[in-house]
Amino acid sequence: MKVLIVDDARWQRSNLTRILTAAGHEVIAAADGREALTKLGDEPHAIICDLLMPELDGFGVLEALRDAQVSVPVVIATADIQQTSRDRCMALGASGFVAKPYKAVDILHALGAATGTSC
C-alpha cells in the first residue's frame, strides 16, 4: 500500500517511514499540508497526517480533501488529544485518530482499520 505521511517534524516522518516500510508499505512524505496536497497525484491509498503544522494544518488538509471530494482514508497522528480536536477531525472525514507518542502497532492498527486491510 502507498501511504502519504504528512508531518512537519523530520524525525516523525523518518520514524513513520521506518515503521511503514518495515511493514511492506511504500511511503510518500510531505513536510506540511500544502506539500501533501501536491502529492495527491502520486495516488496514495492512505494518509497519515499530523494536526499541528505550519502553512496548512491537518484540519486544513481534511477540509481540502473533503472540498475536492477526494476519498483517501486519513489517519490523524497528533499530540493534540483534546476531544474537541478528535471530534472535529472525525466530522471532517478522518478515518482514524492516534495520539502521539504512539507505538508502531498503534499506527499499523489504525492504518489497517482505516483502509480495511491487514497492516
Side-chain angles (χ1 to χ4, degrees):
M1 174 175 8
K2 193 183 307 183
V3 182
L4 173 57
I5 297 169
V6 188
D7 201 304
D8 60 318
R10 180 178 289 143
W11 69 272
Q12 282 285 15
R13 291 192 309 273
S14 295
N15 185 46
L16 278 171
T17 297
R18 182 185 52 76
I19 291 168
L20 294 171
T21 56
H25 301 293
E26 181 182 342
V27 172
I28 307 161
D32 62 48
R34 289 201 193 287
E35 183 181 0
L37 296 177
T38 68
K39 295 197 174 194
L40 291 176
D42 292 336
E43 299 182 355
H45 301 109
I47 299 171
I48 298 175
C49 187
D50 187 19
L51 269 187
L52 307 175
M53 298 179 288
E55 297 298 318
L56 184 65
D57 64 12
F59 296 118
V61 170
L62 289 169
E63 289 171 352
L65 292 172
R66 181 197 60 200
D67 292 349
Q69 298 180 341
V70 174
S71 60
V72 176
V74 179
V75 173
I76 298 296
T78 183
D80 181 354
I81 59 170
Q82 296 179 55
Q83 188 63 43
T84 54
S85 294
R86 182 184 197 116
D87 292 346
R88 183 175 173 201
C89 288
M90 300 314 263
L92 287 170
S95 302
F97 194 96
V98 178
K100 290 179 182 177
Y102 48 76
K103 296 178 183 169
V105 67
D106 299 330
I107 283 291
L108 294 173
H109 177 73
L111 185 58
T115 60
T117 62
S118 175
C119 290

